Amino acid sequence: MESTRTALDESRLERLIEVGRSLVTERDPDAVIQNALRAARDLTGARYAALGVLDKSRSGLERFLTDGMDAATVESIGDTPRGRGILRMLIEDPQPLLIEDVGQHPGSAGFPPNHPPMRSFLGVPVKIHGEPWGNLYLTEKKEGRFDQTDEQSAVILAEWIAIAVNNARSAAAERVQLSFEAAEQERRKWARELHDETLQNLAGLRVLLSAARRHADSGPSIEVIDTSIERVDETIEEMRRLIADLRPAALDQLGVGPAISALVERVQSERDVTIDLRMDFVVRGSSGTGRLVPQLEDTIYRVVQESLNNAVRHGEADRAIVEIFEENGEVNVKVADDGSGFDPDAPRTGFGLTGMSERIALAGGELELSSSPSGSTVRARVPTRRLGQTA
Ligand SMILES: Nc1ncnc2c1ncn2[C@@H]1O[C@H](COP(=O)(O)OP(=O)(O)OP(=O)(O)O)[C@@H](O)[C@H]1O
Ligand SMILES: [Mg+2]
């Protein structure tokens, strides 16, 4: 290691440090990658540089970004590499790989038509938190062959790409989380305002009308008062529903368990649906088991609320099951309905499912949708986090 490090001459070191600075200040992950690819070519003398981003299963490439190839050449090659041949070797065994002539290598899958010649190859993995995330490839060294110094530069750049991409990702996640929190805050404010002002005014009006009725003579005025009382009662009911939909006070005061019990009651009484609620003790809350952190409580509540809404509105379900339990440090949420079903992969115009999956991802969990003509199921798993516990 020491010998390769000392082999990095001063100008390369300077270039590396310069790139490092620019990567730290850049917030856009794609710009980070493009800067790093350009620097990788400068530092190693490679004609081409590319970065392949692994897909979810880490068995192929989901994205392929290049530097050094003009747009017309990229266009004429057609499909971007998916991670076969030499690229597969690096996916399966994520460590630096130096090849003198790709075409002669037994692992090569060959090049597509219109592909410029590429002989020498240097590939290094990009790992985020120790997990393979992508690979940095350098090809076609202009003079001589790739050496240990090139490899060292590529390894350092790959580490910096990982840090910069991770930073950019967490900054983006933080912004989304803040916007969710701001939305909940706004809902809380409106719920309070409507409760304390509008609802109280309506209640006052109801008292006045009742008093007027007691003193009114019989005749048409009584009828008018009765109708008014009825209307006011309906409006009060609607207002209560709206307030609870915005944000039930129970969610802040009592926790997600009681808030969901009340939600289930409400949906059952308003819609023609029977809901079976199973909630485990830990989530329900009790002395000794602390409240979950607000982000998690909000997430669980909104997932159940949206799923039940979808089940009755779109699926016209007769029955639904809501199951919430804690297991192995995770809260599991399942909402199943016997409705008409839908295609979970179809493009969406609504925000419900999208918002739900964003919330779950932010909380570090996973969401799974399944559906058939006999019903739909939403399953979510999120790491448990309680108030007063460090992450
Ligand atoms: N349980 C379900 N049963 C049947 N169809 C569903 C169910 N859940 C979702 N869908 C279908 O998926 C679509 C997308 O749902 P999503 O919640 O994202 O949006 P939405 O309900 O249409 O609008 P929003 O939630 O923003 O009010 C729905 O329009 C509906 O067609
Ligand atoms: Mg919806």
Side-chain angles (χ1 to χ4, degrees):
M1 272 298 194
E2 267 317 298
S3 64
T4 52
R5 205 162 277 168
T6 49
L8 281 176
D9 57 46
E10 207 167 310
S11 70
R12 287 214 211 194
L13 270 176
E14 264 171 27
R15 180 79 177 98
L16 266 175
I17 290 167
E18 183 193 314
V19 179
R21 278 213 194 93
S22 78
L23 296 192
V24 177
T25 50
E26 181 59 66
R27 278 165 157 256
D28 170 16
D30 280 1
V32 161
I33 293 168
Q34 288 303 338
N35 285 347
L37 291 181
R38 173 62 46 86
R41 287 175 52 217
D42 281 2
L43 284 161
T44 61
R47 194 176 294 276
Y48 310 109
L51 187 112
V53 181
L54 297 178
D55 60 22
K56 254 197 179 149
S57 65
R58 294 197 185 128
S59 59
L61 299 178
E62 174 182 277
R63 294 185 70 202
F64 199 83
L65 298 108
T66 61
D67 192 65
M69 213 179 265
D70 60 77
T73 312
V74 174
E75 173 102 351
S76 71
I77 297 174
D79 285 351
T80 57
R82 294 268 155 234
R84 296 179 307 123
I86 301 289
L87 303 191
R88 164 143 313 279
M89 290 171 60
L90 206 61
I91 293 173
E92 285 174 354
D93 184 18
Q95 49 180 309
L97 180 64
L98 251 171
I99 296 173
E100 246 176 66
D101 190 342
V102 171
Q104 300 298 313
H105 195 279
S108 171
F111 291 108
N114 303 324
H115 197 284
M118 280 187 187
R119 282 171 296 267
S120 51
F121 174 97
L122 167 61
V124 296
V126 179
K127 294 183 181 178
I128 296 184
H129 297 311
E131 300 284 344
W133 173 82
N135 291 302
L136 170 64
Y137 316 107
L138 296 161
T139 53
E140 204 55 15
K141 184 161 168 117
K142 289 177 205 149
E143 282 164 37
R145 41 173 84 161
F146 287 119
D147 56 22
Q148 290 295 308
T149 323
D150 296 326
E151 181 180 321
Q152 191 66 28
S153 305
V155 167
I156 293 174
L157 278 171
E159 278 169 15
W160 287 353
I161 291 175
I163 293 168
V165 168
N166 189 45
N167 281 348
R169 269 203 315 210
S170 351
E174 208 171 299
R175 280 199 297 278
V176 179
Q177 175 59 27
L178 284 176
S179 75
F180 274 129
E181 275 166 24
E184 290 295 343
Q185 189 59 32
E186 191 75 355
R187 285 165 160 262
R188 191 181 282 122
K189 191 188 100 188
W190 280 108
R192 265 197 206 139
E193 186 106 356
L194 288 173
H195 179 271
D196 296 350
E197 299 292 328
T198 317
L199 202 57
Q200 298 313 319
N201 281 340
L202 282 170
L205 185 57
R206 172 99 174 50
V207 172
L208 280 180
L209 285 169
S210 302
R213 190 187 193 285
R214 276 199 297 279
H215 299 112
D217 302 325
S218 59
S221 58
I222 287 259
E223 267 169 48
V224 173
I225 294 175
D226 279 346
T227 315
S228 304
I229 289 178
E230 240 170 69
R231 291 272 164 82
V232 170
D233 282 347
E234 280 165 20
T235 312
I236 287 177
E237 264 315 295
E238 257 165 47
M239 194 58 68
R240 284 193 189 287
R241 245 197 321 267
L242 182 63
I243 292 169
D245 261 354
L246 274 170
R247 189 171 169 96
L251 190 49
D252 288 315
Q253 288 159 12
L254 306 172
V256 64
I260 285 182
S261 300
L263 168 72
V264 164
E265 281 309 313
R266 217 164 54 238
V267 176
Q268 283 194 120
S269 70
E270 286 162 16
R271 308 290 198 127
D272 202 9
V273 62
T274 308
I275 304 171
D276 193 358
L277 173 64
R278 302 167 200 162
M279 223 173 347
D280 99 15
F281 185 65
V282 192
V283 183
R284 242 181 7 239
S286 65
S287 54
T289 64
R291 291 267 303 263
L292 302 171
V293 296
Q295 180 202 15
L296 194 48
E297 292 207 331
D298 290 355
T299 299
I300 297 170
Y301 184 82
R302 296 296 178 203
V303 165
V304 174
Q305 183 183 35
E306 178 60 32
S307 303
L308 285 178
N309 262 337
N310 282 347
V312 292
R313 267 175 56 207
H314 307 302
E316 292 179 37
D318 296 320
R319 296 190 74 93
I321 299 170
V322 177
E323 229 173 56
I324 308 171
F325 61 95
E326 196 186 1
E327 196 175 73
N328 303 329
E330 285 182 328
V331 179
N332 291 259
V333 180
K334 178 177 142 184
V335 181
D337 68 60
D338 68 352
S340 54
F342 69 110
D343 175 5
D345 298 322
R348 296 168 195 151
T349 49
F351 288 108
L353 294 174
T354 307
M356 196 163 24
S357 68
E358 276 180 4
R359 278 178 185 274
I360 294 287
L362 275 175
E366 276 178 42
L367 183 78
E368 204 187 299
L369 305 173
S370 55
S371 191
S372 77
S374 55
S376 311
T377 304
V378 174
R379 277 194 188 82
R381 289 187 322 172
V382 207
T384 310
R385 273 162 53 221
R386 293 211 143 74
L387 284 178
Q389 275 177 350
T390 44

